[in-house]
Amino acid sequence: EDKVVQSPLSLVVHEGDTVTLNCSYEVTNFRSLLWYKQEKKAPTFLFMLTSSGIEKKSGRLSSILDKKELSSILNITATQTGDSAIYLCAVGAGSYQLTFGKGTKLSVIP
Amino acid sequence: NAGVTQTPKFRILKIGQSMTLQCTQDMNHNYMYWYRQDPGMGLKLIYYSVGAGITDKGEVPNGYNVSRSTTEDFPLRLELAAPSQTSVYFCASSQGLVIDTQYFGPGTRLTVL
């Protein structure tokens, strides 16, 4: 059974801090790893990673995949209150499905 | 740009009632999915479809049914609603195959009392 584990499950930081969110996976026939941000409604896509060691960046957010370690990290620098959300990691493997982790709830306080 | 739309946004059902959650996408995606999200539990796949006329079970299909008669629509049917089906339901679509990015609808919050 495919498995995706995120850590920590929740995190509280102050504005301006840098945070690192972790995602590890055990899947058969890995295809891709995706990060989503979920505020009060639907998840919105952040990154898709397919190759090890290549950093994807969007503003203050960046992510990298390590296929040897079967893991990925999502970094957010200079956090803002608008970054408060649940960050979901999902892995595409095997058939056409994504397996999601439980998410990391990030709270950024002023 | 509508993307993925879902109706209704909220619904309260009594135990034993039935209902259909509607999902429509206008991106011409072949692949569509239904998830449920319980607090602190991430997203669990209920059913998915790889094209019109083709559906398959996901991780938690019991108590649900789907159909896919067109590329655009992927309704989810709840028969004999139970309190365990209280959840937020998301529909998603993707191009599939190499492109895994799934685009989500706004969700339906369902309460079964």
Side-chain angles (χ1 to χ4, degrees):
Chain A
E1 185 183 327
D2 293 343
K3 198 168 151 187
V4 177
V5 177
Q6 292 185 246
S7 64
L9 290 181
S10 69
L11 191 55
V12 180
V13 301
H14 287 96
E15 261 191 327
D17 287 350
T18 293
V19 297
T20 298
L21 281 53
N22 299 286
C23 176
S24 63
Y25 59 90
E26 291 176 28
V27 302
T28 307
N29 297 324
F30 174 90
R31 289 198 314 277
S32 60
L33 186 144
L34 293 88
W35 286 97
Y36 285 85
K37 178 182 182 182
Q38 185 177 24
E39 296 172 269
K40 289 195 175 164
K41 32 193 178 175
T44 53
F45 172 76
L46 293 174
F47 299 113
M48 183 171 78
L49 306 160
T50 56
S51 302
S52 264
I54 298 173
E55 186 183 52
K56 295 256 178 134
K57 219 169 161 161
S58 176
R60 296 176 293 102
L61 277 67
S62 64
S63 183
I64 197 160
L65 175 67
D66 186 338
K67 282 187 179 178
K68 270 192 186 170
E69 296 296 324
L70 306 182
S71 66
S72 172
I73 59 171
L74 175 69
N75 280 321
I76 308 175
T77 59
T79 51
Q80 302 170 357
T81 53
D83 295 326
S84 296
I86 295 173
Y87 289 85
L88 296 168
C89 173
V91 174
S95 61
Y96 307 114
Q97 306 175 39
L98 289 179
T99 300
F100 282 81
K102 291 184 180 181
T104 293
K105 183 176 179 180
L106 175 65
S107 301
V108 182
I109 53 179
Chain B
N1 292 337
V4 181
T5 57
Q6 290 182 237
T7 56
K9 289 185 181 168
F10 306 95
R11 183 73 185 266
I12 298 175
L13 283 182
K14 292 183 180 175
I15 293 171
Q17 287 185 318
S18 301
M19 76 165 294
T20 299
L21 281 65
Q22 301 292 345
C23 175
T24 300
Q25 54 92 9
D26 64 359
M27 297 175 281
N28 203 33
H29 286 167
N30 282 324
Y31 302 84
M32 296 187 75
Y33 314 82
W34 274 106
Y35 293 92
R36 59 176 288 172
Q37 187 176 36
D38 301 322
M41 294 301 292
L43 289 154
K44 301 279 188 185
L45 182 67
I46 305 171
Y47 270 95
Y48 68 101
S49 169
V50 301
I54 308 169
T55 63
D56 206 351
K57 295 178 181 178
E59 192 180 349
V60 290
N62 290 344
Y64 307 95
N65 270 305
V66 293
S67 59
R68 182 98 182 269
S69 55
T70 66
T71 299
E72 295 78 20
D73 300 307
F74 190 40
L76 177 72
R77 177 94 181 145
L78 278 72
E79 305 281 2
L80 299 174
S84 61
Q85 293 177 304
T86 294
S87 189
V88 180
Y89 291 84
F90 289 104
C91 178
S93 72
S94 73
Q95 289 181 280
L97 289 174
V98 176
I99 311 293
D100 277 321
T101 307
Q102 292 185 10
Y103 298 89
F104 285 80
T108 295
R109 185 175 292 276
L110 175 68
T111 303
V112 182
L113 301 172

